[in-house]
Amino acid sequence: MSLPLEGLSAIVTGAGRGLGRAEALELARLGASVVVNDFGQPGRDGSGEASAAPAEEVAAEIRAAAGRAVAHTGDVADHDQARELVRTAVDTYGKLDILVNNAGILRDRMIFSMTEAEWDTVIHVHLKGHFNTTHFAAAHWRERSKATGGPVYGRIVNTSSEAFLAGSAGQPNYAAAKGGIVGLTTSTALALAKYGVTANAICPRARTRMTEDVFAGFQEPGAGRLDPLAPEHVSPLVGYLASPAAARVNGQLLVVHGGMVAIVERPKVAAKFDSAKDAFTFDELDEALSPYYADRPPNETFAAAEILGLKKG
């Protein structure tokens, strides 16, 4: 029996550890040939011996399990290195079929304490990194579609966050970047649909090196039980969205963790008010909007904090 991703090639960014590593391993398990991207060079282990770069280690792990994988250690936030990443997939496997954007960093701080560098760095890595790889992958698919005169196979899975949905107070840079990624995803989904490409975003909750401080208060499971925050709860959804089975899933946002997947509905208009004449006056707006908001709980905003309470069962 053939595997669902057999014959397809994939890029996973930020795949040297944690969530990206689990996603790369899952795509390979499902049959994909993988380019494992993670920004980092070889280092030294605890004994001072040379150690492979994280991307190389994961690629080797995939090959040891009879899969196909190569490593790429470039920075996806750099436009030229992102171009080289896509070129690596095409040169190695003949084409690119799947792009999983996962690479990111945290620089948490309240808005009044955040530095310009902390803001710029997070936006640069998350949002520009997603754009860079998507840009070059999209150009590849468009060229292939023009050459064949029809749709091609293309899947993009982007990584947003519940921080965007719930309005994480201590992560204004991260929440903004992750919200931007959702906008990028829905725009990309509409732009590339005619070429046969889908683009979706996930909001994963996983205990990784990047989030160890964020989830420090979450209790770990007992012996023999899978951690509800294990990346392995997320990677199967990425495998599904990358597969032919998800051909009709496009421009969607899904929350995933701990044996649960939740589909997030698009925003809806809650109320509408019309001006008496061509344009509103201040007094008209005061009469219409002030009563509407008068009885609202003070902390109820556009953010959907209740999403943080979702769990299996």
Side-chain angles (χ1 to χ4, degrees):
M1 186 176 69
S2 64
L3 296 169
L5 302 184
E6 190 171 344
L8 302 177
S9 65
I11 289 171
V12 183
T13 72
R17 302 178 180 86
L19 191 56
R21 172 183 172 273
E23 291 167 346
L25 293 175
E26 177 69 2
L27 294 184
R29 188 188 71 80
L30 294 174
S33 300
V34 184
V35 179
V36 180
N37 164 264
D38 198 88
F39 184 41
Q41 301 302 320
R44 299 282 176 180
D45 61 20
S47 64
E49 294 294 321
S51 62
E56 294 281 4
E57 292 178 345
V58 176
E61 189 176 354
I62 290 172
R63 292 192 296 268
R68 297 183 68 195
V70 296
H72 181 274
T73 57
D75 179 5
V76 295
D78 181 281
H79 204 59
D80 290 336
Q81 292 181 53
R83 178 192 289 112
E84 182 59 32
L85 172 59
V86 172
R87 185 179 296 141
T88 296
V90 175
D91 290 348
T92 304
Y93 302 123
K95 59 185 173 60
L96 173 65
D97 302 295
I98 299 159
L99 171 63
V100 179
N101 284 309
N102 169 73
I105 60 170
L106 291 178
R107 296 291 185 271
D108 293 352
R109 206 176 296 276
M110 300 294 283
I111 188 65
F112 41 77
S113 302
M114 181 163 289
T115 67
E116 182 181 14
E118 289 166 341
W119 173 271
D120 289 347
T121 299
V122 169
I123 298 296
H124 184 70
V125 174
H126 286 274
L127 188 51
K128 189 182 180 189
H130 272 61
F131 160 74
N132 284 343
T133 54
T134 299
H135 167 75
F136 292 113
H140 168 69
W141 288 320
R142 182 170 177 261
E143 289 171 7
R144 281 175 53 197
S145 178
K146 284 187 171 183
T148 61
V152 298
Y153 189 98
R155 298 285 187 270
I156 300 172
V157 182
N158 288 332
T159 306
S160 183
S161 171
E162 293 170 297
F164 150 65
L165 291 170
S168 180
Q171 298 179 299
N173 48 3
Y174 185 70
K178 292 305 191 181
I181 286 168
V182 173
L184 172 65
T185 302
T186 54
S187 174
T188 302
L190 292 174
L192 299 186
K194 66 180 179 180
Y195 302 116
V197 179
T198 66
N200 295 285
I202 63 171
C203 294
R205 189 187 299 180
R207 197 191 308 274
T208 67
R209 190 179 65 162
M210 190 179 85
T211 62
E212 59 187 356
D213 292 334
V214 176
F215 296 127
F218 284 70
Q219 185 176 1
E220 295 195 35
R225 298 189 61 192
L226 182 63
D227 185 351
L229 296 177
E232 288 75 17
H233 286 296
V234 177
S235 53
L237 176 61
V238 173
Y240 167 75
L241 292 174
S243 76
R248 292 182 60 83
V249 185
N250 192 31
Q252 301 300 306
L253 180 62
L254 302 97
V255 176
V256 54
H257 58 81
M260 180 217 73
V261 172
I263 299 170
V264 180
E265 184 62 67
R266 65 186 183 186
K268 295 182 178 180
V269 176
K272 176 178 173 291
F273 304 95
D274 296 321
S275 62
K277 296 183 179 180
D278 286 343
F280 274 109
T281 65
F282 175 89
D283 289 339
E284 265 190 300
L285 289 170
D286 184 23
E287 287 180 17
L289 298 181
S290 294
Y292 180 79
Y293 285 107
D295 297 325
R296 285 285 187 93
N299 292 324
E300 184 178 294
T301 70
F302 186 77
E306 65 274 12
I307 285 177
L308 296 178
L310 291 173
K311 61 182 180 179
K312 182 180 178 181

